[in-house]
């Protein structure tokens, strides 16, 4: 085994792992005073991991005897994950400074780094063992992040619910992996694919394994019917943590599901397609209908994330390179829309500088904070998929792939169901522009948050269409790496 070549392919994860361990030691000696320095050092480490993607880490092939795969698909996913993780670290110091009762501690950026390392392993996994190690590293850090505000009962409740349900999902996933291993005799994705091709007496056991594996992965991406943790965790967790949960782990989970479906279980496409179609349609409909009655903006965005995962899964159901490219394009645009929405939520504070999370508090914001209202309106219209905003192209990409794969009824039902979701997005816009003004939010002087809002709003506006050749070409190259 050529260890130097293997380490070169896993360099991004090595950078994140070593960096997080060093910063953990710095935090132990430096204490609370080192928080801001560790936060910026964490962003630099993530940037370093991104730079490490250049070279063998993006095209080196298989490492460690098939446990890890460095290809264009993993690289595309990691770039999105690293961007979302870095933004989540940058947002935190100001949020905790202005929130009474809890301070940002230096463990926060270290936990984000460890979670990001786990996500990097997830999207490069080419063996069930690597898959599980990466998934659990990401999840264990996420459980702590959800309950990070120790004096806040909602945050503690969010962490406990996430941990209990996450442990259940891990058990389901492990049971599925054990069935697949038992009936295929291997944990490598290539070997499992060969077993699915073989059929015979093993096929029934492998099908049961497939169902349990997809059930475990559905929990990680909050797809119906394994979505139950999402609204409570999103509402209770600190807002920068919620922004992180809604972006980076979502990309990692969807990318992992795509790799398992295409590489490990590609020969069983007709079997897993039925599961994916059900999860897609159920997520779209429930995410739309359940959001209608929400009065808390973070819970509303939680159901929005469930709804959006449903649309992404339509691309996976196609089971083609075009479908996978559509999924990657969708997730690229989705994280911009979601992070932008949570950046606006971070600006929602009363004059005592405490967070305000009700939809009713947005009333009349077009008159009190017109720039912020315009940005949130752009994000809402884009999430609804209303042209000419860039969110429309995200939905078009997955529907086009589904139609090309012969799944015309799925595309039709998905388009019809998206109309339901438009209602609650438009309700937010109506509240901002047509209701009598509520108390104005406290002014914000954060140039970082303001700049990020402008950048994300510009990206999901019609200006985003200028990036289609770049995003579309890269997504297609990444998708072809799986086939």
């Amino acid at each position: 085994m050529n260890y130097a070549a293997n380490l070169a392919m896993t360099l991004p994860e090595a950078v994140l792992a070593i960096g997080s361990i060093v910063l953990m030691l710095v935090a132990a000696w430096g204490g609370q005073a080192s928080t801001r320095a560790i936060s910026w050092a964490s962003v630099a480490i993530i940037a370093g991991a991104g730079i490490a993607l250049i070279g063998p880490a993006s095209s080196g092939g298989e490492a460690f005897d098939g446990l890890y795969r460095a290809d264009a698909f993993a690289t595309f996913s990691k770039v999105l994950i690293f961007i979302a993780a870095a933004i989540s670290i940058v947002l935190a110091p100001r949020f905790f400074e202005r929130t009474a009762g809890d301070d940002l501690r230096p463990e926060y950026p270290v936990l984000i780094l460890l979670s990001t390392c786990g996500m990097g392993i997830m999207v490069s996994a080419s063996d069930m063992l690597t898959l599980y190690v990466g998934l659990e590293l990401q999840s264990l850090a996420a459980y702590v992040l959800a309950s990070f505000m120790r004096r806040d009962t909602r945050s503690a409740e969010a962490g406990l619910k996430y941990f209990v349900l996450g442990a259940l999902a891990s058990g389901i996933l492990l049971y599925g992996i054990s069935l697949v291993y038992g009936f295929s005799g291997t944990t490598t994705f290539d070997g499992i694919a060969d077993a699915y091709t073989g059929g015979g007496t093993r096929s029934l056991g492998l099908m049961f394994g497939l169902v349990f594996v997809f059930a475990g992965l559905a929990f990680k991406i909050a797809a119906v019917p394994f979505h139950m943790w999402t609204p409570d965790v999103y509402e209770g967790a600190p807002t920068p943590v919620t922004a992180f949960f809604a972006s980076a782990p979502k990309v990692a989970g969807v990318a992992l599901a795509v790799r398992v479906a295409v590489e490990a279980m590609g020969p069983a496409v007709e079997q897993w397609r039925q599961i994916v179609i059900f999860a897609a349609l159920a997520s779209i409909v429930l995410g739309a209908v359940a959001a209608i009655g929400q009065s808390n903006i973070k819970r509303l965005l939680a159901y929005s994330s469930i709804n959006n995962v449903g649309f992404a899964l339509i691309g996976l159901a196609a089971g083609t390179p075009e479908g996978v490219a559509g999924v990657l394009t969708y997730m690229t645009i989705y994280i911009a829309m979601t992070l932008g929405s949570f950046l606006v939520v971070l600006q929602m504070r009363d004059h005592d500088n405490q967070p305000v999370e009700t939809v009713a508090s947005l009333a009349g914001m077009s008159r009190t904070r017109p720039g912020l209202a315009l940005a949130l309106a752009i994000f809402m219209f884009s999430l609804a998929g209303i042209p000419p905003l860039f969110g429309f192209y995200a939905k078009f990409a997955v529907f086009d792939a589904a139609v090309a794969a012969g799944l015309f009824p799925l595309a039709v039902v998905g388009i019809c169901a998206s109309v339901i979701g438009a209602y609650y997005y438009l309700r937010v816009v109506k509240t901002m522009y047509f209701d009598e003004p509520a108390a104005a939010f406290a002014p914000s002087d954060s140039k970082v948050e303001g700049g990020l809002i402008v950048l994300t709003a510009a990206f999901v506006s019609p200006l985003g269409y200028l990036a289609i050749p770049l995003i579309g070409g890269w997504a297609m190259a990444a998708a072809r790496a799986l086939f």
Side-chain angles (χ1 to χ4, degrees), residues 423-439:
Y423 171 80
Y424 64 85
Y425 295 124
L426 295 176
R427 181 166 68 93
V428 173
V429 177
K430 174 257 179 190
T431 302
M432 292 191 297
Y433 280 88
F434 298 105
D435 287 8
E436 285 301 310

Side-chain angles (χ1 to χ4, degrees), residues 22-316:
V22 169
L23 291 183
M24 196 184 300
L25 294 172
V26 172
W29 273 284
Q32 191 72 27
S34 63
T35 302
R36 191 168 284 274
I38 288 175
S39 294
W40 286 111
S42 299
V43 174
I45 288 167
I46 291 173
I51 293 167
L53 284 170
I54 300 168
S58 62
S59 57
E62 288 190 348
F64 299 108
D65 287 334
L67 290 173
Y68 180 100
R69 188 161 289 157
D71 57 16
F73 179 82
T75 303
F76 190 106
S77 304
K78 286 175 191 177
V79 168
L80 299 183
I81 290 164
F82 293 168
I83 291 170
I87 290 174
S88 302
I89 293 172
V90 169
L91 299 180
R94 184 173 172 78
F95 172 84
F96 283 93
E97 277 171 14
R98 301 170 71 193
T99 303
D102 246 309
D103 296 319
L104 178 66
R105 296 183 300 284
E107 303 94 273
Y108 175 87
V110 175
L111 286 165
I112 295 272
L113 283 182
L114 289 168
S115 184
T116 306
C117 180
M119 287 184 274
I121 296 169
M122 282 167 64
V123 299
S124 284
S126 57
D127 186 286
M128 288 295 182
L129 298 177
T130 323
L131 175 157
Y132 190 73
V133 168
L135 197 92
E136 285 306 293
L137 176 56
Q138 182 271 317
S139 298
L140 290 170
Y143 302 149
V144 182
L145 286 167
S147 56
F148 200 78
M149 294 174 71
R150 291 176 295 182
R151 299 181 186 91
D152 185 277
T153 53
R154 290 195 314 165
S155 182
E157 180 187 349
L160 184 60
K161 283 181 177 177
Y162 196 12
F163 172 68
V164 171
L165 292 170
L168 173 66
S170 292
I172 293 171
L173 178 65
L174 272 178
Y175 183 59
I177 290 172
S178 68
L179 282 173
V180 170
Y181 171 67
F183 285 94
S184 67
T186 181
T187 55
T188 64
F189 287 0
D190 290 342
I192 292 166
D194 291 339
Y196 276 105
T197 306
T201 55
R202 297 183 299 173
S203 60
L204 184 62
L206 286 169
M207 287 308 122
F208 273 102
L210 180 150
V211 170
F212 280 102
V213 167
F214 272 87
L217 294 177
F219 177 90
K220 299 302 179 183
I221 60 175
V224 174
F226 302 97
H227 65 286
M228 68 294 288
W229 60 275
T230 315
D232 292 336
V233 172
Y234 278 36
E235 181 185 7
T239 305
V241 174
T242 308
F244 176 67
F245 287 169
S247 52
K250 196 75 75 175
V251 172
V254 169
L256 177 60
V258 169
R259 192 183 280 281
V260 170
V262 173
E263 286 194 347
M265 300 175 178
V269 62
E270 293 303 324
Q271 285 73 33
W272 61 251
R273 179 178 280 156
Q274 299 171 46
I275 300 171
V276 171
I277 288 174
F278 169 78
L281 293 179
S283 300
I284 291 169
V285 173
L286 185 134
V289 173
I292 291 172
Q294 300 302 321
S295 58
N296 182 291
I297 189 72
K298 284 167 73 176
R299 287 184 75 89
L300 187 146
L301 289 171
Y303 283 108
S304 168
S305 77
I306 295 168
N307 179 262
N308 278 278
V309 159
F311 287 114
L313 289 176
I314 287 177
L316 174 57

Side-chain angles (χ1 to χ4, degrees), residues 354-378:
Q354 293 308 298
V356 180
E357 295 175 0
T358 60
V359 175
S361 66
L362 294 167
M365 193 166 76
S366 60
R367 278 158 276 180
T368 56
R369 297 282 295 277
L372 200 61
L374 176 62
L376 186 55
I378 289 172

